[in-house]
Amino acid sequence: MSSVSRKVANVAKGYKTKDGAGVSLLRVIGGPISSKSVDPFLMLDAFKSENPNDYIAGFPSHPHRGQQTLTYMIDGIMEHKDNKGNKGLLKPGMVQVMNAARGIIHSEMPKQVEGKMFGFQFWLNLAAVDKMSDPWYKDIPAEEIPEVITNDKKVRVVAGHYEGVEGIVKGLRVNPIFLDVKLSPNTKFSVDIPDFDHNSFVYVFEGEGKFGPEGYEKVVGDQHIGVLENKDRVTINDNETTPNKLDAVAGENGVRFLFLSAKPLREPIVQHGPFVMNTQKEIQQAFFDYQMGRF
């Protein structure tokens, strides 16, 4: 079977909301895009503002259980502290991965009083077998993220593989790809998707681009998500081209976007705020454990 680009099935813009102690953001996954359509991604929040009133209150101490969080900073400085003794400064270009697992209490607070705060936070679901594992936290400095650079593109490989380069984030069960792609005007780009059933999407945050196979491209512009179609092995004939990559072309002013892809867990999800488990009983237990100081 030959390979062809997946089509973009849905284009949407996140809705404006506030979280934490009043931080203004766009909720994309968990907003107009249901987490069920992009399993195992539970949430995508995008925050961008030069107004300190939009971010200065930050995210004071709060609990998590049952998921992993991944934060990617473009501009600004945030400080992480948690009840396991971890502490770190998240600076431009850095990635922070936190495995909440059976329970962690942390805060994310701005360490600036003015200037731009710009970044993204993703929540990745954990498989049932991993939800009660030990929590951990890791800061990844910007200079440790490998890059593939040519005259007309720059690709930061946070996780997964691109043109033989392996990302710095490894060992996650859902085998994610996470690329930060910047293309010059009218530049073409292609990336392989590692398996038939990976759920994949792009999030554009500069310019615009066309995504999908020739003749079926869709334009995705700034602050919009493009969710890719998905087919499993059962629905693909031996003589059918396999939609197992993504093709893109930058617009007249170039484009910068995040590309994410991961293997779905296909497990029941019961979520209440920062607790993500498989049953309502497990959610009740999470509240009890938190109230009893067991996180």
Side-chain angles (χ1 to χ4, degrees):
M1 291 183 291
S2 58
S3 183
V4 67
S5 175
R6 293 189 186 186
K7 299 175 184 177
V8 175
N10 191 9
V11 177
K13 184 176 183 178
Y15 64 68
K16 293 181 180 180
T17 187
K18 292 182 183 290
D19 208 337
V23 177
S24 297
L25 50 82
L26 283 179
R27 179 143 296 158
V28 186
I29 297 172
I33 300 299
S34 165
S35 60
K36 291 181 180 179
S37 67
V38 287
D39 175 21
F41 298 98
L42 295 165
M43 190 189 78
L44 164 55
D45 284 346
F47 49 92
K48 179 181 180 181
S49 180
E50 296 187 17
N51 181 355
N53 293 330
D54 287 339
Y55 61 75
I56 201 67
F59 302 88
S61 290
H62 58 281
H64 286 272
R65 173 178 279 186
Q67 78 274 67
Q68 292 171 327
T69 68
L70 192 153
T71 308
Y72 184 49
M73 290 297 288
I74 305 298
D75 285 301
I77 303 175
M78 297 280 282
E79 182 182 59
H80 166 99
K81 291 182 181 179
D82 64 49
N83 67 331
K84 307 302 179 184
N86 299 304
K87 182 178 179 181
L89 281 181
L90 193 57
K91 300 178 181 179
M94 289 183 64
V95 172
Q96 171 201 96
V97 184
M98 185 181 76
N99 188 57
R102 60 181 169 81
I104 197 168
I105 301 170
H106 80 137
S107 63
E108 299 159 298
M109 300 299 292
K111 297 301 288 183
Q112 61 189 57
V113 296
E114 59 183 10
K116 182 184 290 186
M117 182 70 71
F118 184 12
F120 308 92
Q121 185 169 95
F122 303 85
W123 286 11
L124 274 170
N125 196 15
L126 283 171
V129 68
D130 297 323
K131 284 188 180 291
M132 297 302 287
S133 60
D134 291 336
W136 52 262
Y137 164 87
K138 185 175 183 179
D139 272 333
I140 300 171
E143 59 270 18
E144 292 186 13
I145 298 175
E147 298 177 343
V148 177
I149 301 174
T150 66
N151 290 334
D152 52 13
K153 72 181 178 185
K154 176 180 177 181
V155 181
R156 307 190 81 216
V157 188
V158 179
H161 293 80
Y162 176 70
E163 292 192 352
V165 175
E166 184 177 16
I168 190 68
V169 176
K170 306 172 186 177
L172 303 184
R173 185 180 294 271
V174 295
N175 190 26
I177 300 175
F178 183 165
L179 306 179
D180 174 356
V181 181
K182 185 172 185 178
L183 304 178
S184 299
N186 304 309
T187 297
K188 293 183 178 181
F189 171 83
S190 185
V191 59
D192 291 331
I193 297 172
D195 205 348
F196 290 86
D197 66 347
H198 265 52
N199 284 322
S200 310
F201 64 90
V202 297
Y203 185 82
V204 174
F205 61 100
E206 289 180 14
E208 68 174 28
K210 292 181 179 180
F211 299 86
E214 186 175 358
Y216 297 92
E217 304 98 328
K218 283 191 179 180
V219 175
V220 184
D222 186 27
Q223 296 187 323
H224 283 72
I225 187 173
V227 179
L228 307 188
E229 67 173 2
N230 195 357
K231 291 187 176 182
D232 59 31
R233 294 177 189 272
V234 176
T235 61
I236 297 175
N237 300 319
D238 288 342
N239 296 324
E240 185 180 354
T241 53
T242 308
N244 226 36
K245 65 175 181 175
L246 171 66
D247 290 339
V249 182
E252 294 295 328
N253 296 312
V255 68
R256 187 174 179 188
F257 62 92
L258 305 179
F259 171 70
L260 286 99
S261 180
K263 186 176 182 64
L265 293 172
R266 296 191 175 91
E267 294 183 354
I269 297 174
V270 181
Q271 181 174 351
H272 192 105
F275 302 149
V276 185
M277 303 302 289
N278 299 105
T279 68
Q280 186 61 39
K281 184 178 179 180
E282 291 171 338
I283 291 290
Q284 293 169 349
Q285 185 66 48
F287 274 101
F288 180 76
D289 289 345
Y290 173 58
Q291 292 164 355
M292 295 298 292
R294 296 174 179 169
F295 275 32

